[in-house]
Amino acid sequence: LRLAKPKLWWPAGLGAPHLYTLQVEAKAKSRQSAEQKIHFGIRKIETGMNPSSQSRWFKINGRPLFLQGGNWVIDMMLNWTASRYRDEIALTRQANLNFLRIWGPTGVPPESFYDAADREGILLHQDFLNDWWGTEHNLPDSRPPLALVEQATTAIIKKGRNHPSIFLWCGGNEG
């Protein structure tokens, strides 16, 4: 897939979060057998460490990025609807925030959450589910099998890889 002069996806406060739609259709003997519609954005994330302050910096599409955000935890009252996620992301943008950290034990939100973040230009820091790293109450022999951690991590990456809103993957919760 090649795009001539693509419009870039920008986070809130830096520009429009431009999205593209790719529709793929597979046919067998001139009959449709499968169809997939994928929304995606084009952007470049850079990061590094400032040697004098020992702080991390980020750039998006070559421009410095100042992160203003908070922590997102799934609704404990089980109000898990697409409209709820759209409203939460819209409120995030209205509060002049540009990023949210998805707390590890929350798990992986549904597609509607990521879609809303993509549309609103809200950057997401996605924790993985292995929050047993670095916690004193989890002894080495109580850790899940490494193969299970690898399987879960791979599934999360495959689910989120086309969402331009995800700018940071984190290996564990506070570990």
Side-chain angles (χ1 to χ4, degrees):
L1 177 66
R2 291 186 187 265
L3 297 172
K5 298 182 183 176
K7 294 181 180 177
L8 299 177
W9 185 93
W10 291 94
L14 289 180
H18 189 80
L19 294 171
Y20 289 92
T21 301
L22 174 67
Q23 187 165 337
V24 179
E25 195 175 313
K27 293 183 178 185
K29 295 184 181 178
S30 68
R31 293 172 56 168
Q32 181 179 342
S33 58
E35 182 178 23
Q36 179 76 38
K37 190 181 283 189
I38 300 166
H39 301 285
F40 67 97
I42 299 170
R43 50 96 175 118
K44 179 181 178 182
I45 301 287
E46 298 172 80
T47 187
M49 295 297 291
N50 182 321
S52 61
S53 67
Q54 294 300 306
S55 61
R56 180 163 297 281
W57 57 263
F58 292 94
K59 287 184 180 180
I60 187 159
N61 303 325
R63 290 179 54 192
L65 175 64
F66 180 71
L67 295 173
Q68 303 168 99
N71 199 42
W72 184 83
V73 178
I74 201 162
D75 184 345
M76 299 300 179
M77 300 305 290
L78 307 180
N79 182 7
W80 302 342
T81 63
S83 63
R84 171 70 183 253
Y85 296 130
R86 283 191 302 271
D87 291 347
E88 287 181 356
I89 295 295
L91 285 171
T92 300
R93 183 159 185 174
Q94 290 168 19
N96 292 318
L97 302 179
N98 62 9
F99 105 98
L100 291 172
R101 172 198 177 211
I102 302 170
W103 183 56
T106 288
V108 181
E111 283 297 308
S112 56
F113 180 85
Y114 296 103
D115 290 343
D118 291 345
R119 282 191 305 277
E120 292 287 340
I122 301 299
L123 292 161
L124 300 173
H125 162 156
Q126 175 68 63
D127 278 353
F128 292 121
L129 303 178
N130 46 350
D131 68 338
W132 44 267
W133 282 347
T135 56
E136 72 284 343
H137 62 283
N138 290 315
L139 301 174
D141 58 340
S142 68
R143 293 180 178 175
L146 189 56
L148 179 61
V149 174
E150 183 178 342
Q151 181 182 6
T153 301
T154 300
I156 291 169
I157 291 170
K158 285 182 177 180
K159 179 176 181 170
R161 64 184 167 194
N162 292 321
H163 290 284
S165 56
I166 300 177
F167 82 108
L168 183 64
W169 305 90
C170 184
N173 176 48
E174 299 159 7

